[in-house]
Amino acid sequence: MRLRHRGGCRPLLVVSVLLCALLCPAPADAAEGPGTSAEVARLYEEASAATARYEAGRRAAKAQRKKVRKLDRLLAKERRAVDGLHADLGRMAGAQYRSGGGLPHAARLLLAESPEELMRGQRLLGQAGLAVTHAVGRTQRAAASLADAKHRADRARRSLDRRHARLARLKRGIESKLESARWTLQGEADRSVAAGRCRGAVRLDQPKRKKGTSTRAWMTPVKKYELSAGFDSAGAHWAHRHTGQDFAVGIGAPVRAVGAGRVKSVSCGGGFGIEVVVAHKGGYYTQYAHLAAVTVDQGERVRPGQWLGQAGTTGNSTGPHLHFEVRLTPQQGSAVDPGKWLKGRGVRL
């Protein structure tokens, strides 16, 4: 992942390297571990991919368990059929015994009303017995086939369950690393804000566009989120009313431009912490606040969906989230409802 920071120490006079090291303070961006933003972005991608594999594995294991349960029911049905056919054979044998089946053939011939009646009865009884015997054989073969299918399905289920468990461990491991990297990134951001020195833009690889997909003119500022504090809501954290829409996301989550424009400002002081303001056609401005890092510079043109930074909890913030605002001017105090503004451009929150 490409990564580049801007900034450095430029003393006014030519002095020795030692004197510069002693008297010229190191810029925040050089001292705070420039690789953290890239590491968080990479782990976000890995966590997303691991979650997708985990969910696919969970669905596959669930489908296989359902298949095993169905085979269980079919096997039980076939076994009941075999038991029923065996009972039929028993009843036929009992009936034959009660009707003289145990007598010698000569005695039965004497007792029968006619030889034709005796032969017809024997023939019918033999045919019935043969039919039941064949049915028993077919049903037993079906039961054996089902038992074999169930054995294979059980084996596949156990394999899927083991794979699902491995994916769960992998997912937890990546999420644990991501959580640690998130707070490292937030610590770097907090130190730069406390020092009043904004770190330079971190150049991360932008998300690739898929071939054949049309580019939307407008979109939400984050891809996955939960809405929290809304526009014009009241609360102890705001002097008057809430001037934007908050999106609850994790530290380091990519924050993107909602539409094409030019970066008006990048700053890191005040209640909004690290923030980016983008100017759009039509005289509107969008603000992205409480960031942990920025990926653009002032004056830079941006396209819809381009990463502007990574979410955080700098400034007057009680937890990780993105404060998104739409204004009529670059300054605070001219905000309009961002939900209605985006809806008017085909984007629903």
Side-chain angles (χ1 to χ4, degrees):
M1 186 169 286
R2 295 190 301 274
L3 180 64
R4 178 162 53 89
H5 270 262
R6 300 180 180 181
C9 177
R10 297 184 177 179
L12 298 176
L13 300 175
V14 178
V15 293
S16 67
V17 175
L18 179 60
L19 184 59
C20 181
L22 292 172
L23 299 180
C24 183
D29 55 343
E32 298 294 350
T36 307
S37 287
E39 177 70 3
V40 170
R42 181 183 67 80
L43 287 169
Y44 253 101
E45 292 176 1
E46 286 190 9
S48 178
T51 298
R53 290 195 300 271
Y54 172 82
E55 288 301 319
R58 182 186 62 79
R59 290 192 295 270
K62 182 179 179 181
Q64 191 63 27
R65 284 192 289 271
K66 185 177 179 181
K67 181 179 179 181
V68 170
R69 288 195 296 270
K70 181 180 179 181
L71 287 169
D72 267 333
R73 291 193 296 270
L74 290 173
L75 184 57
K77 182 179 178 181
E78 291 294 339
R79 284 173 175 164
R80 286 195 299 271
V82 171
D83 292 341
L85 289 169
H86 278 301
D88 287 343
L89 279 175
R91 282 192 295 271
M92 288 176 65
Q96 186 179 16
Y97 176 79
R98 288 191 298 273
S99 62
L103 295 174
H105 182 70
R108 278 183 281 158
L109 183 59
L110 291 173
L111 293 173
E113 294 182 2
S114 67
E116 290 80 9
E117 181 185 353
L118 175 64
M119 296 304 294
R120 185 169 58 254
Q122 288 290 98
R123 186 168 58 253
L124 291 173
L125 187 61
Q127 288 174 349
L130 186 61
V132 174
T133 301
H134 282 241
V136 169
R138 286 196 303 271
T139 309
Q140 286 176 330
R141 287 192 295 274
S145 178
L146 278 172
D148 184 58
K150 181 181 178 301
H151 175 71
R152 292 197 303 271
D154 271 330
R155 190 168 54 202
R157 176 189 57 78
R158 289 192 295 270
S159 177
L160 284 170
D161 285 343
R162 288 193 297 269
R163 180 175 179 270
H164 181 60
R166 288 196 300 271
L167 288 173
R169 289 193 297 271
L170 175 65
K171 181 173 177 287
R172 288 194 299 269
I174 293 173
E175 288 173 346
S176 177
K177 292 178 183 177
L178 175 58
E179 186 67 10
S180 176
R182 279 171 171 168
W183 288 108
T184 299
L185 177 64
Q186 182 62 43
E188 294 172 0
D190 288 338
R191 286 190 290 273
S192 69
V193 170
R197 303 184 64 182
C198 295
R199 295 184 296 165
V202 179
R203 296 304 179 181
L204 303 177
D205 287 340
Q206 293 292 325
K208 296 180 180 179
R209 300 180 188 178
K210 295 181 180 179
K211 291 183 179 180
T213 57
S214 59
T215 302
R216 289 180 294 164
W218 300 96
M219 61 189 62
T220 57
V222 284
K223 190 174 183 180
K224 296 180 180 180
Y225 58 87
E226 289 184 8
L227 296 177
S228 49
F231 178 74
D232 204 32
S233 57
H237 297 288
W238 313 297
H240 301 289
R241 309 284 286 187
H242 193 226
T243 54
Q245 173 63 60
D246 286 350
F247 295 79
V249 290
I251 294 170
V255 173
R256 58 192 187 181
V258 297
R262 185 186 293 273
V263 178
K264 178 69 176 177
S265 64
V266 177
S267 58
C268 65
F272 288 117
I274 300 174
E275 61 170 321
V276 174
V277 176
V278 176
H280 303 277
K281 287 183 179 180
Y284 289 99
Y285 299 82
T286 54
Q287 178 205 29
Y288 312 79
H290 304 306
L291 304 177
V294 294
T295 59
V296 291
D297 285 318
Q298 184 173 324
E300 186 175 332
R301 285 192 177 277
V302 294
R303 57 176 173 77
Q306 180 176 334
W307 288 357
L308 303 175
Q310 292 168 292
T313 182
T314 54
N316 182 21
S317 170
T318 58
H321 73 284
L322 169 70
H323 174 87
F324 174 72
E325 199 165 303
V326 180
R327 300 172 177 171
L328 299 175
T329 70
Q331 291 76 34
Q332 188 177 3
S334 59
V336 299
D337 188 334
K340 291 181 179 179
W341 188 81
L342 285 172
K343 184 179 179 181
R345 287 154 179 77
V347 179
R348 292 183 178 272
L349 299 181

